[in-house]
Amino acid sequence: MTTSTAQSRTPGHPEVPATMRAAVLKRQGDMAMKALPVPQLDADQVLVQVAAVGVCGSDVHYYEHGRIGDYVVDHPLILGHELSGRIAAVGSDVDPARIGQRVAVEPQRPCRTCKQCKAGRYNLCPDIEFYATPPIDGAFTEYVRIQSDFAFDIPDSVSDEAAALIEPLSVGLWACERAQIKPGSRVLIAGAGPIGIIAAQAARAFGATEIYISDIAEDRLAFALQHGATHALNALTDSVEGLDVDAFIDASGAPQAVRSGIKAVGPAGRVILVGLGADDVELPVSYIQNREIWLSGVFRYTNTWPLAIQLIADGKVDLDILVTGKFALAESEDALQAGKQPGQLKAVVYPGR
């Protein structure tokens, strides 16, 4: 990290307090409200007063299990990485005119100098700092700091909730880009949760004409048909093998869904693994070889916020329909547990409440 500098503010805007409230994960399954110092800014950063934070499956996993793979919660951590807000102060190198702007935050800080960053793959930067990934704090708090170019202006037509959910939308856009979805594409998506529905909307925005989605929950399948998918398949009773789709996007993480989804892909098709599941999965290797199927994982995204904002503003993607629970900052623990309730898709925390 570079040396912190004085924060710039302009007359007519509220004074930034010295402390802020934060919902902190003290250890596995143990949340607490704390008063913390408001972050000081580096020269190229802005201070964002957080308006809305979406709850992601990774937040829930850290809360319930205390770790994801090699990332372990071994000290108090602020969760939350899907966020929007308003710029409250700027670093010395940032135009003070940005103060007051509504923004959607891309919650990561790449080094910008390594091989991966210079190749344009900054999501693969080995030294990246990502919100709510130990040891980097996230956005279940009143203020966060981020590099100015990772705080994107949003139009008034985009709600705080939709702006926050640009982060999961970016996962869907990146998956569709890697799947090479184009006008006329036929796509299968496994999992009709938030990411699956977002991926369906993204695929439709990319021009896909047939979008199959599979799940075991009939209510989620019905919802997906209303918001992006063209065909719904019950994963327990309907076979997907032989669909010969151009691309398969797994948003479930279920090993059986991955295996059967691969067998739904036609020759030279693409398989994109998004869902978090088992570390090791048995794959139909001969099928992949004989059809020259291209298989890739997805690790976050790069350069997706401008497209996401445009798609939302143009009405081609609707993220507000995903919000099924709204919680104050002090209710963050309830928000993390909301996904267990029937009919829940996306919980949103509002630090200003």
Side-chain angles (χ1 to χ4, degrees):
M1 301 288 285
T2 56
T3 303
S4 296
T5 63
Q7 300 174 177
S8 297
R9 308 182 186 94
T10 57
H13 292 283
E15 190 74 11
V16 176
T19 62
M20 63 184 185
R21 296 180 307 138
V24 179
L25 177 64
K26 295 169 60 179
R27 62 185 67 85
Q28 179 181 342
D30 186 5
M31 298 282 292
M33 291 295 297
K34 289 189 175 182
L36 300 174
V38 169
Q40 294 298 302
L41 299 181
D42 295 339
D44 63 343
Q45 291 182 318
V46 295
L47 185 72
V48 177
Q49 185 174 13
V50 181
V53 191
V55 174
C56 175
S58 64
D59 297 318
V60 177
H61 203 87
Y62 280 125
Y63 169 71
E64 293 182 344
H65 302 284
R67 67 184 301 155
I68 296 178
D70 294 333
Y71 296 103
V72 180
V73 180
D74 54 10
H75 73 286
L77 179 72
I78 301 174
L79 297 173
H81 60 264
E82 306 173 358
L83 72 145
S84 65
R86 189 180 297 272
I87 294 178
V90 299
S92 58
D93 290 347
V94 181
D95 185 351
R98 294 215 67 191
I99 295 175
Q101 291 176 336
R102 295 178 63 239
V103 294
V105 172
E106 181 173 351
Q108 52 189 348
R109 183 181 187 175
C111 76
R112 304 179 190 251
T113 60
C114 71
K115 179 180 179 180
Q116 298 300 329
C117 284
K118 288 185 174 181
R121 299 184 294 262
Y122 64 82
N123 60 318
L124 302 180
C125 171
D127 296 318
I128 200 165
E129 298 175 356
F130 194 87
Y131 277 25
T133 299
I136 308 302
D137 281 330
F140 282 3
T141 184
E142 293 179 298
Y143 293 92
V144 298
R145 61 178 183 171
I146 193 71
Q147 273 51 48
S148 179
D149 59 330
F150 276 20
F152 295 84
D153 295 346
I154 54 173
D156 292 339
S157 61
V158 176
S159 69
D160 290 335
E161 292 84 355
L165 298 186
I166 286 175
E167 198 280 337
L169 173 58
S170 288
V171 175
L173 294 175
W174 191 240
C176 287
E177 183 172 327
R178 294 189 64 75
Q180 295 189 349
I181 305 301
K182 56 184 181 296
S185 289
R186 301 174 65 246
V187 185
L188 169 65
I189 299 166
I195 292 295
I197 292 169
I198 284 171
Q201 292 198 44
R204 182 182 60 186
F206 274 49
T209 52
E210 291 184 53
I211 304 168
Y212 296 84
I213 193 162
S214 66
D215 202 288
I216 61 174
E218 290 292 343
D219 58 336
R220 289 197 168 191
L221 289 174
F223 188 86
L225 282 175
Q226 296 174 341
H227 301 288
T230 61
H231 300 77
L233 300 169
N234 188 300
L236 297 177
T237 59
D238 299 323
S239 175
V240 301
E241 295 183 19
L243 282 177
D244 271 2
V245 293
D246 301 298
F248 165 55
I249 297 173
D250 178 68
S252 71
Q256 181 55 43
V258 172
R259 287 191 293 268
S260 60
I262 290 173
K263 290 188 176 181
V265 178
R270 295 195 162 221
V271 173
I272 307 298
L273 304 181
V274 180
L276 293 176
D279 289 337
D280 295 293
V281 176
E282 182 179 333
L283 300 178
V285 175
S286 61
Y287 186 94
I288 294 170
Q289 290 176 324
N290 293 341
R291 294 200 169 199
E292 290 195 352
I293 291 171
W294 189 91
L295 187 150
S296 173
V298 158
F299 188 69
R300 299 172 184 157
Y301 33 69
T302 62
N303 300 311
T304 50
W305 259 250
L307 173 60
I309 293 168
Q310 190 64 54
L311 290 175
I312 298 168
D314 291 345
K316 294 182 177 180
V317 170
D318 186 354
L319 300 178
D320 291 303
I321 49 94
L322 296 173
V323 179
T324 52
K326 299 183 177 183
F327 300 85
L329 184 62
E331 300 169 323
S332 295
E333 193 161 11
D334 294 332
L336 290 164
Q337 298 172 347
K340 298 177 180 179
Q341 302 301 317
Q344 287 293 321
L345 280 174
K346 201 71 177 178
V348 174
V349 173
Y350 299 86
R353 296 185 182 179

